[in-house]
Amino acid sequence: MTMDSVANSVQLPPLDNPNERAAIGAELQVVLVDLIDLSLIGKQLHWSVIGAAAHGVHLFLDELVDQWRELADVVAERAVTLGFIPDGRSSMVATGSRVEPVVVQSVADHAVVWELGRRVAAVAERVRARLVSVGGADLVTQDVLIRVVEMLEKQQWLLRVQLGEKA
Amino acid sequence: MTMDSVANSVQLPPLDNPNERAAIGAELQVVLVDLIDLSLIGKQLHWSVIGAAAHGVHLFLDELVDQWRELADVVAERAVTLGFIPDGRSSMVATGSRVEPVVVQSVADHAVVWELGRRVAAVAERVRARLVSVGGADLVTQDVLIRVVEMLEKQQWLLRVQLGEKA
Amino acid sequence: MTMDSVANSVQLPPLDNPNERAAIGAELQVVLVDLIDLSLIGKQLHWSVIGAAAHGVHLFLDELVDQWRELADVVAERAVTLGFIPDGRSSMVATGSRVEPVVVQSVADHAVVWELGRRVAAVAERVRARLVSVGGADLVTQDVLIRVVEMLEKQQWLLRVQLGEKA
Amino acid sequence: MTMDSVANSVQLPPLDNPNERAAIGAELQVVLVDLIDLSLIGKQLHWSVIGAAAHGVHLFLDELVDQWRELADVVAERAVTLGFIPDGRSSMVATGSRVEPVVVQSVADHAVVWELGRRVAAVAERVRARLVSVGGADLVTQDVLIRVVEMLEKQQWLLRVQLGEKA
Amino acid sequence: MTMDSVANSVQLPPLDNPNERAAIGAELQVVLVDLIDLSLIGKQLHWSVIGAAAHGVHLFLDELVDQWRELADVVAERAVTLGFIPDGRSSMVATGSRVEPVVVQSVADHAVVWELGRRVAAVAERVRARLVSVGGADLVTQDVLIRVVEMLEKQQWLLRVQLGEKA
Amino acid sequence: MTMDSVANSVQLPPLDNPNERAAIGAELQVVLVDLIDLSLIGKQLHWSVIGAAAHGVHLFLDELVDQWRELADVVAERAVTLGFIPDGRSSMVATGSRVEPVVVQSVADHAVVWELGRRVAAVAERVRARLVSVGGADLVTQDVLIRVVEMLEKQQWLLRVQLGEKA
Amino acid sequence: MTMDSVANSVQLPPLDNPNERAAIGAELQVVLVDLIDLSLIGKQLHWSVIGAAAHGVHLFLDELVDQWRELADVVAERAVTLGFIPDGRSSMVATGSRVEPVVVQSVADHAVVWELGRRVAAVAERVRARLVSVGGADLVTQDVLIRVVEMLEKQQWLLRVQLGEKA
Amino acid sequence: MTMDSVANSVQLPPLDNPNERAAIGAELQVVLVDLIDLSLIGKQLHWSVIGAAAHGVHLFLDELVDQWRELADVVAERAVTLGFIPDGRSSMVATGSRVEPVVVQSVADHAVVWELGRRVAAVAERVRARLVSVGGADLVTQDVLIRVVEMLEKQQWLLRVQLGEKA
Amino acid sequence: MTMDSVANSVQLPPLDNPNERAAIGAELQVVLVDLIDLSLIGKQLHWSVIGAAAHGVHLFLDELVDQWRELADVVAERAVTLGFIPDGRSSMVATGSRVEPVVVQSVADHAVVWELGRRVAAVAERVRARLVSVGGADLVTQDVLIRVVEMLEKQQWLLRVQLGEKA
Amino acid sequence: MTMDSVANSVQLPPLDNPNERAAIGAELQVVLVDLIDLSLIGKQLHWSVIGAAAHGVHLFLDELVDQWRELADVVAERAVTLGFIPDGRSSMVATGSRVEPVVVQSVADHAVVWELGRRVAAVAERVRARLVSVGGADLVTQDVLIRVVEMLEKQQWLLRVQLGEKA
Amino acid sequence: MTMDSVANSVQLPPLDNPNERAAIGAELQVVLVDLIDLSLIGKQLHWSVIGAAAHGVHLFLDELVDQWRELADVVAERAVTLGFIPDGRSSMVATGSRVEPVVVQSVADHAVVWELGRRVAAVAERVRARLVSVGGADLVTQDVLIRVVEMLEKQQWLLRVQLGEKA
Amino acid sequence: MTMDSVANSVQLPPLDNPNERAAIGAELQVVLVDLIDLSLIGKQLHWSVIGAAAHGVHLFLDELVDQWRELADVVAERAVTLGFIPDGRSSMVATGSRVEPVVVQSVADHAVVWELGRRVAAVAERVRARLVSVGGADLVTQDVLIRVVEMLEKQQWLLRVQLGEKA
């Protein structure tokens, strides 16, 4: 084929089996929605936190939000790399997210830590539960999700110790 | 009052009139929701754009998303500075946003530009319409919103010219 | 006039009316004195704060001090731009500042936050009260003072929430 | 409207009234021409200055030139944002600029300061005179021009004091 | 053994079984050759691309070339870490590369994207096919190759969408 | 001569022959005017470009403008180093520039590339034609102009390939 | 549960089975001790190396020490993330480290390379031997340890080649 | 003592003898007040300087002000390290400073240099006179004050030479 | 002596008297061991701290650890400069450190501050007690140790105030 | 010609005479091939070097490779600027390079230096031999090649002195 | 020749004719000595300058000194690249420099400018006089010296204009 | 004294006794000359070093040269601060330096290390011998010289260990 004549043929995403692409895409879709929701909740608490430790928590929340946004982008781009267009719209996040909602009010600093810790742990646990099955279909996506879990579990620890529980 | 004894009294936000605080807060709330929705839509299109100009649009969208996120933070922090806790949760964005939703599918580069241009223009126009009345109550919030409009209108221009329309 | 011969004429500051220059200068003078005093009080508390949250407050105070110094410089340079030489000497700050003095002793972290919050709020309120009348004479100086108020009110919020009061 | 079908309709610039757009555009056009001319004059003097203080003035001129170029870009982009294409060509600058020309010869450092000070003051004064009427039509453009005046008046002060006149 | 007397013994690379070292080395060798060839082809197209989108593609190609060079270095250093000296000479790349050659002529921007996309996909696919068997012998090398595949597949997506195909 | 007594004598620029200084100065003068005009035209098109590729061209133009401004400064400073004060005023640029003017209107992206390419090529060609004769009088100025030509010809290539012509 | 009332319940680390947490924690503990000891030995040799190549080795040792400190931190934080508090105290390092001690004396540059190479290889080999069994319990910890092995084996290669042995 | 039970005992500052602590604290107090006053005077002159050299002096003053602020912070923190809370409030600076006040008016550049030079020299001389006696009680504080003197004396030289006196 | 023939003679470290070298070396040895132990304890607490202030303390500990590592390196390099090879091995730190050990368990944030404060104060006090005698033998080493004491005493203050004791 | 109508005419590269363009292009082609081959050989030795000085040589080789890659890009872009598309494909490098190949095996550090020195010298000599004739046709290309020779000859010196030969 | 056996042959510097190498080396030697002497004189004046403009001259001198040091290094390394070891020792600079010495005393700012301007001009003129003959033997060295002249002549201009002479 | 009238009085350098100023100045003068000579010798060897370790030594010499230049500047500025103008001219360095000269020829890497080590040690020893007597007159100058000795002795160690002698 000469380089000047671009054929009608199309270029296919990785993974030969379209079903596998869709299955992996669906796995990534649910992780994406949870991560976006975490980032919105993190901002909500960033604006609402009060108490003696409020300023430190306010700053820490922005670091977490940056990490969730970055992870969400990596997850979504992995999905679309596999030919699956993920849905990160507000309507999908509002209905599809499995993260427990927060209330709109001032929240005490310790409550922010407690509530976030629970939510981050829940998301991490859900992703961890899928690692082995995902790895069976696509080692690359598994590696992406291992990084997601590693980051979330570290955040969970950094939050948990602020509750005075055994590190 | 000595510095050791912190009185029971509370510290009040700016603006003497609580009604004014609530009114300004409500103005900022609707702007916030639109800006968050723009940032989610921007990411959605960042993942979905196709076509000969897709790569440039993909990168440009991340610049816009960063600007919307930054403006949303400024707007929300102005609200809470006035004692009004804004609602930036996914449920509120999904129901309260006045930004027209996009569909989940591959979108041609020129369509991305066209659709975004319309949405940015609509948000800018809505904020602009409120500038004078807001300024009557609070010049500082007016200044914040002027910066929002200036940024959105510049984005609108940068998008509009890509449509080949007269700059 | 050739470029080699510099005439005896003088170059006048902006604003045609010398009375207006003096009036705006006087407005800026009182803001300047309060901002310098805030920066000295901020440093005093930076050295005196004690308590479990002392280290965070110690660092936060340096950020505030930098912002007050920067604002003071902008305010003073606006005054001199208008032909009014402001007075930022220690004697003037000691006698002219309307900021309530602090005592020289160890101060508990929560008391630092409480005391600073009150003082910042008082300065912000005094500047805000003059915005409209200043704007009538000079929109540029008004814009400078709007930025002063915006910064002070945001600081006031960041301090107020540390008291556990509703954000 | 689906996202794939881009309609024939066009996207309009901000401001509903086309006459207002043209009027604001014309205001920005005259400011643009003066700012470009200041930047060319600044460079001309950068190459021509002589005298004991020549090196300091040579460097200071480059800072001013950078500021004028930046302001010119902001002003021009605001015009085109409103649908008015400004004219920044050499022919327009040569004929439309209201800045008094300089001569092509070595210029003593004090004369550079004197001559520039007069020209900057004249431009600032002309823009200031239009602030209120512009604000009536478009608060965003007013805000842009307030920043132009603030910067020019500060430059005027920095130049004026070098003449030994009362600051 | 005292620290002054260096024995005649040698230090062996990781992996006890020399056959396994050679096998893994051979796997890395073929990946290395393909990556070097991609980097040479990328530069060739960087110099040859023409068309309306040529400048963007020209810059994008340099980003890809940097990534291929970096991956090639990681792959080669992993091989030599295992005691296998890889061959990255021009003669080996010319004869051993499985990447389809390009022609020396001006190449239209869309053709560059199409041709590169096919070649990147082919290399990614070949590496992916070896991941499981490599992991059986050496998990560390498997991890290196997973990163190679992840990067190549993301590049493939970024190229594919420029063809207007479904993302 | 002691260092305290500065003699009446003057310090002369390089090149013994005043005629040579003037001749080289005149060569540099025409290059300067063309480069300044290119920078003004580049900005004009930066504000006026429309079309699907407008955003990329908009950004690329700012890179070119920076390069032309930098080259103009080097050329002018070389002239004044030789004792020849160049004329970079708007009136001289408007009348002396040999660069074909552009019109004030929206310009399609491909037309921007085409029009700029022609103008850059023309300037480069005029400078190149003078290299040998300049070198006969002053090798340093020749070296300056060689760098000007090298930069302009590279720009010309980067523009030309966007027209789809053979690179 | 409302956000204001923090329940008595505790937040548990990842991995449902406490025995698995302890087992993985014990694996990480031994790696941690070896890495800390490597960092102390590296500093000891940094101060003791002599010979013609001493300066290069002195600088290289600081790079290695930085890498060992960073790896130790990652390993320890993974342990505590799983609810296992690792022991990195000097007493534990002195008694628990399996790294062969060095003597306190001047050490020739080649001997430093030889001795360090042996120790790094031994640590890498011990970690590698546990990769598969660790992966059975926790893929995230396995990924952490794979990165440890990859780094140590690369260091081992960089040291081994300095001995003149076949790379 | 277990780590969980924090005893009632207190932690004392360095220096066994409380009288010595107070004495050293008093030494640092007077230096602090002079340094803060220098920083306020420096800013006052930064706004008031006029004359041909005004711009250079204006910039130089900001460097000096930064150095005085930094030294003041080091001095105050050394005092509080020794258990002595220093007084840096405006009232104390206004009454306790031994630095001769300046007048509020435009000040010629050479007068600024002359007046500052005298004041810096006087402060340096007062601190120098106490070095030996301070060193007898606390070598660390002496080292701090030596750095203060070194900086002030260098500033004094940089100012003195601008008066045309023998360097 | 020609530069090509390197004599058999050796180059001796500073200080003529070998006994003095050994004595100063011994002084530095004990400081080194304490500083290394502080850095290991700091890391141990970095991983173990719990409580509402845990995150701030966690970050602060890393700053302290960096300072201790840097001081230890300066102290050790001063020793070896004097021809005394210090012992910084884990066995020496475990047996020679005079710093009270910590326990391996979760430690409350206030306890971390309390325990560290005591240990830092003890080390500072021991080094301070040797300053004068060291200075009698070597002013350079004294200067190194003064910097060690200054840093440790400042850390002690920053920790002490967190206990709520008078600063 | 109006800016909207792009003519059918084409834009030609610099140099009026097509034969000259081809001749200069051919000169650049042979330099390009040698530089690419040097960069591949440099990487090959980067992976293969052993011996006491291996680490320093390993790092130095990466600096050289970066320089060769940069020079190759400049050379190739100069060729295409003149309308000559250079051939930098692996097949052309393998067959056209005049650089003596290296063997695939561990190479002692001194041998790396010796072998590279010879090859760099040979390339530099070949380019130098063409400088005058190239300059006759195109001074800009000559300037590019002078920079190539200057860099290569400096590398040759840095390598030669490592052989212990007279600098 | 295999890569393991380094032959007895030597590697020769560029330029086939040893006489040419020596001749070019001698040209570079005299430039080197003058440049080193300029750098020492520049520092001497940096310490000695007095007068109203002293501070600006003091800073400007450090920029010039940095440029002379950089040029000296380039010149010396070009010499040694050609196999000629230059002599940059103090004894050679003291006896071989053709730069007129300065006196050791306070020097007025204008005298510094005057005296330096004369010396820089003299060095530039001497190098310029050799450009053509050097170029006949070695175009690369000529290019190095052209850069030396360009830099020195620009410095001469920057100094000359400070004398108030026509630029 | 009003600020406008600059008196005829002069400002004197620190230290009341002019004899003390001269004595300290003389001490600094001899240190300055040695440091400048070290920096020239360092550059000479930077150009002359040959041998297997030549490249590392070449780079290390530039670090040393930077340190000597920096120390020389500090020493000279301390002298002039005390009213003593030091002499750093080439003639003074050539005649006054007590540093043993080097020969102009290629120097083997180990000989460079040996020769430099001796010279640095000699300079350090001479400065050290004067520390106590200088401190009697001026503690600030003593502190400057202590820093000189500390740096030189550390360099001496870094050189000495390269000779293979006991560190």
Side-chain angles (χ1 to χ4, degrees), chain K residues 54-154:
Chain K
H55 195 61
V57 173
H58 173 80
L59 296 176
F60 182 42
L61 281 163
D62 257 3
E63 293 177 35
L64 296 176
V65 167
D66 280 348
Q67 292 168 350
W68 294 324
R69 285 174 173 171
E70 176 64 21
L71 289 176
D73 203 49
V74 169
V75 163
E77 294 194 352
R78 182 67 201 159
V80 75
T81 288
L82 295 173
F84 181 99
I85 298 188
D87 185 347
R89 299 173 305 168
S90 54
S91 55
M92 172 49 96
V93 178
T95 58
S97 165
R98 294 171 301 179
V99 184
E100 189 182 342
V102 296
V103 290
V104 178
Q105 63 181 34
S106 294
V107 186
D109 41 20
H110 57 91
V112 165
V113 171
W114 169 261
E115 295 294 336
L116 256 188
R118 286 176 48 225
R119 285 164 177 80
V120 171
V123 176
E125 196 175 325
R126 285 195 291 269
V127 185
R128 166 183 282 279
R130 308 298 301 155
L131 288 179
V132 171
S133 71
V134 165
D138 180 14
L139 284 170
V140 177
T141 298
Q142 186 194 46
D143 201 55
V144 166
L145 293 183
I146 284 173
R147 293 203 302 267
V148 170
V149 176
E150 184 178 357
M151 180 69 83
L152 293 177
E153 289 184 350
K154 181 171 174 185

Side-chain angles (χ1 to χ4, degrees), chain K residues 43-44 73 88-90 102, chain L residues 37 43-44 73 88-89 102:
Chain K
K43 268 295 177 188
Q44 181 67 31
D73 203 49
R89 299 173 305 168
S90 54
V102 296
Chain L
D37 210 22
K43 268 296 177 188
Q44 182 67 30
D73 202 49
R89 299 174 304 169
V102 296

Side-chain angles (χ1 to χ4, degrees), chain H residues 90-145:
Chain H
S90 56
S91 56
M92 172 49 95
V93 177
T95 60
S97 165
R98 294 172 302 180
V99 184
E100 190 182 342
V102 295
V103 290
V104 177
Q105 63 181 35
S106 295
V107 186
D109 41 19
H110 57 90
V112 165
V113 171
W114 170 261
E115 296 294 335
L116 256 189
R118 286 175 49 225
R119 285 164 178 80
V120 170
V123 176
E125 197 176 323
R126 285 196 289 270
V127 185
R128 167 183 282 279
R130 308 298 300 155
L131 288 180
V132 172
S133 70
V134 164
D138 181 13
L139 284 170
V140 177
T141 298
Q142 187 194 45
D143 202 55
V144 167
L145 293 182

Side-chain angles (χ1 to χ4, degrees), chain G residues 36-37 40 43-44 46-48 58 69 73 76-77 80 85-91 93-94 102 104-106, chain I residues 36-37 40 43-44 46-48 58 69 73 76-77 80 85-91 93-94 102 104-106:
Chain G
I36 294 176
D37 209 23
L40 294 178
K43 268 296 177 189
Q44 181 67 30
H46 174 79
W47 302 320
S48 315
H58 173 79
R69 286 174 172 170
D73 203 49
E77 294 194 353
V80 76
I85 299 187
D87 184 348
R89 300 174 304 168
S90 55
S91 53
V93 178
V102 296
V104 178
Q105 63 181 35
S106 294
Chain I
I36 293 175
D37 210 22
L40 294 178
K43 268 296 177 188
Q44 181 68 32
H46 173 79
W47 301 319
S48 317
H58 174 81
R69 286 173 173 171
D73 202 49
E77 294 194 351
V80 75
I85 298 187
D87 184 347
R89 300 174 303 169
S90 54
S91 55
V93 177
V102 296
V104 178
Q105 63 181 36
S106 295

Side-chain angles (χ1 to χ4, degrees), chain G residues 68-126:
Chain G
W68 293 325
R69 286 174 172 170
E70 177 64 21
L71 289 177
D73 203 49
V74 169
V75 163
E77 294 194 353
R78 181 67 200 159
V80 76
T81 288
L82 294 174
F84 180 99
I85 299 187
D87 184 348
R89 300 174 304 168
S90 55
S91 53
M92 172 49 96
V93 178
T95 58
S97 165
R98 294 171 301 179
V99 183
E100 189 183 344
V102 296
V103 291
V104 178
Q105 63 181 35
S106 294
V107 186
D109 41 20
H110 57 90
V112 165
V113 171
W114 168 262
E115 296 293 335
L116 257 188
R118 285 175 49 223
R119 285 164 177 80
V120 170
V123 176
E125 197 176 323
R126 285 195 291 269

